Amino acid sequence: MRFHTFGDGNKKIMVLIHGVLTPWQIWLEHAKCFEKDYLVVVPALDGHVEEEASEYISVEDEANKIIDYVINAYGKEVDVLCGLSMGGAVAYKVFESGKLTINNLVVDGAPLSPLGKLPVWFMTKNYMNIIHKTKVRDQKTLDNFKKYFLPEEYLPSFLKFADTMTDETIKNMLSSVFSTNISKTPVENDTKILFMHGTKGNEVVSKKAARKMKEVYPQTVIKCFDGYAHAELSIYHVKEWIDTVKRFIIV
């Protein structure tokens, strides 16, 4: 894992955590907006590090590395913790640990509702196929990736870590993410929670998780973005994402 920071170290801390097969750079525009008021910390999760090969072990392992880094560098308080997709699962585990004081938890499309073995198997095979074809620069795969998953400007960063991503990392990511569940026993704190999700495709998993979060943590605010696919809001509609988060954290 690598950590990238933006802003003044004497300001409040904001942490932005990316999702599966997305580079940390998807947060660049968000970080530049918030760095006026925050020290923004953006980890590159294991398996997604451009500078060197790294293995993703589990959601819990990633969460613990972020916790250790924040405590050692800045102390125990994080004003805003944001996670996208898999990053939402990691953010939830950071929150659930109780090791940090989280004032605001923001998750977007977080799959915090377990899936069965068969759909996880299919998704794992699909992600492996994407990475295998990416490594040989299959043009159709890259064109589809740019069209449906990641803006072209971030493709060079994706290619760098895709070239070193292993099948084991993909297995670990999918099995760990889709076994993450919201504990029925709530963490006792005053954290404000924002759960955002779309309505297309596999966002049904996020919608289910949002309802569960609301049951366990009644203070949760759910924002549904009709017609948006998974991760579309934060990646393709950055200003709308930023405005939504700003309105939430200043209340």
Short mmCIF file of all heavy atoms in Angstrom, two decimals, residues 5-51:
data_model
loop_
_atom_site.label_atom_id
_atom_site.label_comp_id
_atom_site.label_asym_id
_atom_site.label_seq_id
_atom_site.Cartn_x
_atom_site.Cartn_y
_atom_site.Cartn_z
N THR A 5 -0.82 12.26 -0.27
CA THR A 5 -1.46 13.29 0.54
C THR A 5 -1.55 14.62 -0.22
O THR A 5 -0.69 14.94 -1.05
CB THR A 5 -0.72 13.51 1.87
OG1 THR A 5 0.64 13.89 1.60
CG2 THR A 5 -0.73 12.25 2.71
N PHE A 6 -2.59 15.36 0.12
CA PHE A 6 -2.84 16.67 -0.49
C PHE A 6 -3.28 17.63 0.61
O PHE A 6 -4.13 17.30 1.42
CB PHE A 6 -3.95 16.57 -1.54
CG PHE A 6 -3.69 15.58 -2.63
CD1 PHE A 6 -3.94 14.23 -2.43
CD2 PHE A 6 -3.17 15.99 -3.85
CE1 PHE A 6 -3.69 13.30 -3.43
CE2 PHE A 6 -2.92 15.08 -4.85
CZ PHE A 6 -3.17 13.73 -4.65
N GLY A 7 -2.67 18.81 0.63
CA GLY A 7 -3.10 19.82 1.60
C GLY A 7 -2.16 19.97 2.77
O GLY A 7 -1.04 19.44 2.79
N ASP A 8 -2.63 20.68 3.77
CA ASP A 8 -1.86 21.07 4.94
C ASP A 8 -2.00 20.04 6.05
O ASP A 8 -3.11 19.70 6.46
CB ASP A 8 -2.36 22.44 5.43
CG ASP A 8 -1.51 23.02 6.54
OD1 ASP A 8 -0.76 22.28 7.19
OD2 ASP A 8 -1.60 24.24 6.75
N GLY A 9 -0.86 19.56 6.56
CA GLY A 9 -0.87 18.56 7.61
C GLY A 9 -1.44 19.02 8.93
O GLY A 9 -1.70 18.20 9.82
N ASN A 10 -1.65 20.32 9.08
CA ASN A 10 -2.23 20.84 10.32
C ASN A 10 -3.76 20.92 10.27
O ASN A 10 -4.39 21.35 11.24
CB ASN A 10 -1.66 22.23 10.62
CG ASN A 10 -0.18 22.17 10.92
OD1 ASN A 10 0.28 21.30 11.64
ND2 ASN A 10 0.58 23.10 10.35
N LYS A 11 -4.34 20.52 9.15
CA LYS A 11 -5.80 20.60 9.00
C LYS A 11 -6.45 19.26 9.36
O LYS A 11 -5.79 18.27 9.64
CB LYS A 11 -6.14 21.00 7.57
CG LYS A 11 -5.69 22.40 7.20
CD LYS A 11 -6.06 22.75 5.77
CE LYS A 11 -5.62 24.17 5.41
NZ LYS A 11 -5.89 24.50 3.99
N LYS A 12 -7.78 19.26 9.36
CA LYS A 12 -8.54 18.04 9.61
C LYS A 12 -8.21 17.00 8.54
O LYS A 12 -7.81 17.33 7.43
CB LYS A 12 -10.03 18.35 9.61
CG LYS A 12 -10.49 19.29 10.70
CD LYS A 12 -11.99 19.58 10.60
CE LYS A 12 -12.32 20.39 9.35
NZ LYS A 12 -13.76 20.79 9.32
N ILE A 13 -8.42 15.73 8.89
CA ILE A 13 -8.05 14.63 7.99
C ILE A 13 -9.27 14.12 7.23
O ILE A 13 -10.34 13.89 7.79
CB ILE A 13 -7.44 13.45 8.79
CG1 ILE A 13 -6.26 13.94 9.64
CG2 ILE A 13 -7.01 12.33 7.84
CD1 ILE A 13 -5.12 14.54 8.86
N MET A 14 -9.09 13.95 5.92
CA MET A 14 -10.06 13.28 5.06
C MET A 14 -9.34 12.13 4.37
O MET A 14 -8.22 12.29 3.87
CB MET A 14 -10.63 14.24 4.01
CG MET A 14 -11.49 13.55 2.95
SD MET A 14 -12.10 14.67 1.65
CE MET A 14 -13.53 15.37 2.47
N VAL A 15 -9.96 10.95 4.36
CA VAL A 15 -9.38 9.78 3.71
C VAL A 15 -10.31 9.33 2.58
O VAL A 15 -11.52 9.17 2.80
CB VAL A 15 -9.17 8.62 4.70
CG1 VAL A 15 -8.55 7.41 3.99
CG2 VAL A 15 -8.28 9.06 5.87
N LEU A 16 -9.76 9.12 1.39
CA LEU A 16 -10.52 8.69 0.21
C LEU A 16 -9.98 7.34 -0.25
O LEU A 16 -8.80 7.22 -0.58
CB LEU A 16 -10.40 9.71 -0.92
CG LEU A 16 -10.79 11.16 -0.60
CD1 LEU A 16 -10.48 12.07 -1.81
CD2 LEU A 16 -12.27 11.26 -0.26
N ILE A 17 -10.85 6.31 -0.30
CA ILE A 17 -10.41 4.95 -0.62
C ILE A 17 -11.08 4.47 -1.90
O ILE A 17 -12.32 4.46 -2.01
CB ILE A 17 -10.75 3.98 0.53
CG1 ILE A 17 -10.26 4.53 1.88
CG2 ILE A 17 -10.13 2.61 0.26
CD1 ILE A 17 -10.68 3.71 3.08
N HIS A 18 -10.28 4.08 -2.89
CA HIS A 18 -10.79 3.67 -4.20
C HIS A 18 -11.34 2.25 -4.20
O HIS A 18 -11.25 1.52 -3.21
CB HIS A 18 -9.68 3.81 -5.26
CG HIS A 18 -8.54 2.85 -5.04
ND1 HIS A 18 -8.60 1.53 -5.40
CD2 HIS A 18 -7.30 3.03 -4.50
CE1 HIS A 18 -7.45 0.93 -5.11
NE2 HIS A 18 -6.65 1.81 -4.55
N GLY A 19 -11.88 1.83 -5.34
CA GLY A 19 -12.48 0.51 -5.48
C GLY A 19 -11.65 -0.45 -6.30
O GLY A 19 -10.49 -0.18 -6.65
N VAL A 20 -12.24 -1.59 -6.64
CA VAL A 20 -11.57 -2.65 -7.40
C VAL A 20 -11.22 -2.17 -8.81
O VAL A 20 -12.05 -1.58 -9.51
CB VAL A 20 -12.47 -3.89 -7.49
CG1 VAL A 20 -11.83 -4.95 -8.39
CG2 VAL A 20 -12.73 -4.47 -6.11
N LEU A 21 -9.98 -2.42 -9.22
CA LEU A 21 -9.47 -2.11 -10.56
C LEU A 21 -9.53 -0.62 -10.90
O LEU A 21 -9.49 -0.25 -12.07
CB LEU A 21 -10.21 -2.90 -11.65
CG LEU A 21 -10.21 -4.43 -11.55
CD1 LEU A 21 -10.69 -5.04 -12.86
CD2 LEU A 21 -8.85 -4.98 -11.18
N THR A 22 -9.61 0.22 -9.89
CA THR A 22 -9.56 1.66 -10.13
C THR A 22 -8.31 2.23 -9.46
O THR A 22 -8.03 1.91 -8.30
CB THR A 22 -10.81 2.37 -9.59
OG1 THR A 22 -11.00 2.03 -8.21
CG2 THR A 22 -12.04 1.98 -10.37
N PRO A 23 -7.56 3.06 -10.14
CA PRO A 23 -6.36 3.65 -9.55
C PRO A 23 -6.72 4.73 -8.54
O PRO A 23 -7.82 5.31 -8.59
CB PRO A 23 -5.64 4.25 -10.76
CG PRO A 23 -6.74 4.56 -11.73
CD PRO A 23 -7.77 3.50 -11.54
N TRP A 24 -5.80 5.01 -7.65
CA TRP A 24 -6.05 6.04 -6.64
C TRP A 24 -6.30 7.39 -7.28
O TRP A 24 -6.96 8.27 -6.71
CB TRP A 24 -4.89 6.11 -5.66
CG TRP A 24 -3.60 6.65 -6.22
CD1 TRP A 24 -2.57 5.94 -6.76
CD2 TRP A 24 -3.20 8.03 -6.31
NE1 TRP A 24 -1.56 6.77 -7.19
CE2 TRP A 24 -1.92 8.07 -6.91
CE3 TRP A 24 -3.80 9.23 -5.94
CZ2 TRP A 24 -1.24 9.26 -7.16
CZ3 TRP A 24 -3.13 10.42 -6.19
CH2 TRP A 24 -1.86 10.43 -6.80
N GLN A 25 -5.81 7.58 -8.51
CA GLN A 25 -5.94 8.89 -9.17
C GLN A 25 -7.38 9.30 -9.48
O GLN A 25 -7.64 10.45 -9.81
CB GLN A 25 -5.13 8.90 -10.48
CG GLN A 25 -3.62 8.96 -10.27
CD GLN A 25 -2.98 7.59 -10.20
OE1 GLN A 25 -3.65 6.58 -9.96
NE2 GLN A 25 -1.68 7.51 -10.43
N ILE A 26 -8.33 8.37 -9.37
CA ILE A 26 -9.72 8.77 -9.59
C ILE A 26 -10.16 9.81 -8.57
O ILE A 26 -11.15 10.51 -8.78
CB ILE A 26 -10.69 7.57 -9.54
CG1 ILE A 26 -10.64 6.90 -8.16
CG2 ILE A 26 -10.43 6.61 -10.67
CD1 ILE A 26 -11.89 6.18 -7.79
N TRP A 27 -9.42 9.94 -7.47
CA TRP A 27 -9.75 10.91 -6.42
C TRP A 27 -9.02 12.24 -6.60
O TRP A 27 -9.17 13.13 -5.76
CB TRP A 27 -9.39 10.35 -5.05
CG TRP A 27 -10.19 9.17 -4.59
CD1 TRP A 27 -9.70 7.93 -4.29
CD2 TRP A 27 -11.60 9.12 -4.30
NE1 TRP A 27 -10.71 7.12 -3.85
CE2 TRP A 27 -11.89 7.82 -3.85
CE3 TRP A 27 -12.63 10.06 -4.39
CZ2 TRP A 27 -13.18 7.43 -3.49
CZ3 TRP A 27 -13.92 9.66 -4.04
CH2 TRP A 27 -14.18 8.37 -3.59
N LEU A 28 -8.25 12.41 -7.66
CA LEU A 28 -7.44 13.63 -7.80
C LEU A 28 -8.29 14.90 -7.77
O LEU A 28 -7.97 15.86 -7.06
CB LEU A 28 -6.63 13.57 -9.09
CG LEU A 28 -5.32 12.79 -9.03
CD1 LEU A 28 -4.69 12.69 -10.42
CD2 LEU A 28 -4.34 13.45 -8.07
N GLU A 29 -9.35 14.92 -8.55
CA GLU A 29 -10.19 16.12 -8.61
C GLU A 29 -10.86 16.37 -7.27
O GLU A 29 -10.97 17.52 -6.80
CB GLU A 29 -11.23 15.98 -9.72
CG GLU A 29 -11.99 17.27 -10.01
CD GLU A 29 -12.90 17.16 -11.22
OE1 GLU A 29 -12.71 16.21 -12.02
OE2 GLU A 29 -13.79 18.01 -11.37
N HIS A 30 -11.31 15.31 -6.62
CA HIS A 30 -11.94 15.42 -5.31
C HIS A 30 -10.94 15.98 -4.29
O HIS A 30 -11.26 16.89 -3.51
CB HIS A 30 -12.44 14.07 -4.82
CG HIS A 30 -13.22 13.27 -5.83
ND1 HIS A 30 -12.66 12.79 -6.99
CD2 HIS A 30 -14.51 12.85 -5.83
CE1 HIS A 30 -13.56 12.11 -7.67
NE2 HIS A 30 -14.70 12.13 -7.00
N ALA A 31 -9.73 15.41 -4.32
CA ALA A 31 -8.70 15.82 -3.35
C ALA A 31 -8.33 17.29 -3.54
O ALA A 31 -8.17 18.03 -2.56
CB ALA A 31 -7.47 14.94 -3.50
N LYS A 32 -8.20 17.73 -4.79
CA LYS A 32 -7.82 19.12 -5.05
C LYS A 32 -8.90 20.09 -4.58
O LYS A 32 -8.61 21.22 -4.20
CB LYS A 32 -7.52 19.31 -6.54
CG LYS A 32 -6.23 18.62 -6.97
CD LYS A 32 -6.01 18.71 -8.48
CE LYS A 32 -4.72 17.99 -8.88
NZ LYS A 32 -4.51 18.01 -10.34
N CYS A 33 -10.15 19.63 -4.62
CA CYS A 33 -11.24 20.46 -4.13
C CYS A 33 -11.22 20.58 -2.61
O CYS A 33 -11.38 21.67 -2.06
CB CYS A 33 -12.58 19.88 -4.58
SG CYS A 33 -14.01 20.74 -3.89
N PHE A 34 -11.00 19.46 -1.94
CA PHE A 34 -11.09 19.44 -0.48
C PHE A 34 -9.80 19.85 0.23
O PHE A 34 -9.81 20.10 1.44
CB PHE A 34 -11.53 18.06 0.00
CG PHE A 34 -12.99 17.79 -0.18
CD1 PHE A 34 -13.44 16.94 -1.18
CD2 PHE A 34 -13.92 18.38 0.66
CE1 PHE A 34 -14.80 16.69 -1.35
CE2 PHE A 34 -15.28 18.13 0.50
CZ PHE A 34 -15.72 17.29 -0.50
N GLU A 35 -8.67 19.91 -0.49
CA GLU A 35 -7.41 20.20 0.18
C GLU A 35 -7.34 21.61 0.76
O GLU A 35 -6.46 21.89 1.58
CB GLU A 35 -6.23 19.97 -0.76
CG GLU A 35 -6.12 20.96 -1.90
CD GLU A 35 -4.89 20.71 -2.76
OE1 GLU A 35 -3.98 19.98 -2.32
OE2 GLU A 35 -4.83 21.25 -3.88
N LYS A 36 -8.26 22.47 0.38
CA LYS A 36 -8.29 23.83 0.97
C LYS A 36 -8.67 23.76 2.45
O LYS A 36 -8.28 24.62 3.23
CB LYS A 36 -9.29 24.69 0.20
CG LYS A 36 -8.93 24.94 -1.25
CD LYS A 36 -9.86 25.94 -1.90
CE LYS A 36 -11.26 25.38 -2.06
NZ LYS A 36 -11.32 24.28 -3.06
N ASP A 37 -9.45 22.76 2.81
CA ASP A 37 -9.94 22.66 4.17
C ASP A 37 -9.45 21.42 4.92
O ASP A 37 -9.63 21.32 6.14
CB ASP A 37 -11.47 22.63 4.18
CG ASP A 37 -12.07 23.89 3.54
OD1 ASP A 37 -11.70 24.99 3.97
OD2 ASP A 37 -12.87 23.75 2.60
N TYR A 38 -8.84 20.48 4.19
CA TYR A 38 -8.44 19.21 4.78
C TYR A 38 -7.02 18.82 4.35
O TYR A 38 -6.53 19.27 3.31
CB TYR A 38 -9.38 18.09 4.32
CG TYR A 38 -10.77 18.16 4.89
CD1 TYR A 38 -11.77 18.88 4.23
CD2 TYR A 38 -11.10 17.51 6.08
CE1 TYR A 38 -13.06 18.95 4.74
CE2 TYR A 38 -12.38 17.58 6.60
CZ TYR A 38 -13.36 18.29 5.93
OH TYR A 38 -14.63 18.37 6.44
N LEU A 39 -6.43 17.96 5.15
CA LEU A 39 -5.32 17.16 4.65
C LEU A 39 -5.98 15.90 4.10
O LEU A 39 -6.60 15.13 4.84
CB LEU A 39 -4.34 16.78 5.76
CG LEU A 39 -3.27 15.79 5.29
CD1 LEU A 39 -2.31 16.46 4.33
CD2 LEU A 39 -2.51 15.18 6.44
N VAL A 40 -5.89 15.72 2.80
CA VAL A 40 -6.55 14.60 2.14
C VAL A 40 -5.55 13.46 1.96
O VAL A 40 -4.49 13.64 1.35
CB VAL A 40 -7.13 15.01 0.78
CG1 VAL A 40 -7.90 13.85 0.16
CG2 VAL A 40 -8.06 16.22 0.93
N VAL A 41 -5.90 12.29 2.47
CA VAL A 41 -5.05 11.10 2.39
C VAL A 41 -5.71 10.12 1.42
O VAL A 41 -6.88 9.74 1.60
CB VAL A 41 -4.88 10.43 3.77
CG1 VAL A 41 -4.03 9.16 3.65
CG2 VAL A 41 -4.26 11.40 4.76
N VAL A 42 -4.97 9.72 0.39
CA VAL A 42 -5.50 8.81 -0.62
C VAL A 42 -4.59 7.58 -0.73
O VAL A 42 -3.50 7.66 -1.30
CB VAL A 42 -5.60 9.49 -2.01
CG1 VAL A 42 -6.31 8.55 -2.99
CG2 VAL A 42 -6.34 10.82 -1.91
N PRO A 43 -5.00 6.46 -0.15
CA PRO A 43 -4.18 5.25 -0.28
C PRO A 43 -4.34 4.58 -1.64
O PRO A 43 -5.42 4.64 -2.25
CB PRO A 43 -4.71 4.34 0.84
CG PRO A 43 -6.10 4.81 1.10
CD PRO A 43 -6.17 6.26 0.74
N ALA A 44 -3.26 4.00 -2.13
CA ALA A 44 -3.34 3.07 -3.25
C ALA A 44 -3.35 1.69 -2.62
O ALA A 44 -2.36 1.25 -2.03
CB ALA A 44 -2.14 3.22 -4.17
N LEU A 45 -4.50 1.01 -2.67
CA LEU A 45 -4.64 -0.27 -1.99
C LEU A 45 -3.72 -1.32 -2.59
O LEU A 45 -3.29 -1.22 -3.74
CB LEU A 45 -6.10 -0.74 -2.09
CG LEU A 45 -7.15 0.17 -1.45
CD1 LEU A 45 -8.55 -0.44 -1.66
CD2 LEU A 45 -6.90 0.40 0.03
N ASP A 46 -3.41 -2.33 -1.81
CA ASP A 46 -2.57 -3.42 -2.31
C ASP A 46 -3.20 -4.06 -3.54
O ASP A 46 -4.43 -4.17 -3.65
CB ASP A 46 -2.39 -4.47 -1.21
CG ASP A 46 -1.48 -3.97 -0.09
OD1 ASP A 46 -0.43 -3.38 -0.41
OD2 ASP A 46 -1.83 -4.15 1.09
N GLY A 47 -2.35 -4.45 -4.46
CA GLY A 47 -2.81 -4.96 -5.74
C GLY A 47 -3.03 -3.85 -6.75
O GLY A 47 -3.16 -4.11 -7.95
N HIS A 48 -3.04 -2.59 -6.27
CA HIS A 48 -3.30 -1.43 -7.14
C HIS A 48 -2.16 -0.41 -7.05
O HIS A 48 -2.34 0.76 -7.39
CB HIS A 48 -4.60 -0.75 -6.73
CG HIS A 48 -5.80 -1.64 -6.83
ND1 HIS A 48 -6.07 -2.64 -5.92
CD2 HIS A 48 -6.82 -1.67 -7.72
CE1 HIS A 48 -7.19 -3.25 -6.25
NE2 HIS A 48 -7.67 -2.69 -7.34
N VAL A 49 -1.00 -0.86 -6.62
CA VAL A 49 0.16 0.02 -6.49
C VAL A 49 0.93 0.01 -7.80
O VAL A 49 1.31 -1.05 -8.31
CB VAL A 49 1.07 -0.45 -5.33
CG1 VAL A 49 2.32 0.43 -5.24
CG2 VAL A 49 0.29 -0.41 -4.01
N GLU A 50 1.17 1.18 -8.37
CA GLU A 50 1.83 1.28 -9.67
C GLU A 50 3.34 1.02 -9.59
O GLU A 50 3.94 0.48 -10.51
CB GLU A 50 1.61 2.67 -10.26
CG GLU A 50 0.16 2.99 -10.56
CD GLU A 50 -0.01 4.44 -10.97
OE1 GLU A 50 0.82 4.93 -11.75
OE2 GLU A 50 -0.96 5.07 -10.49
N GLU A 51 3.95 1.45 -8.47
CA GLU A 51 5.40 1.45 -8.38
C GLU A 51 6.01 0.06 -8.16
O GLU A 51 7.20 -0.15 -8.43
CB GLU A 51 5.85 2.37 -7.24
CG GLU A 51 5.48 3.84 -7.44
CD GLU A 51 4.08 4.19 -6.98
OE1 GLU A 51 3.31 3.26 -6.62
OE2 GLU A 51 3.73 5.38 -6.98
#
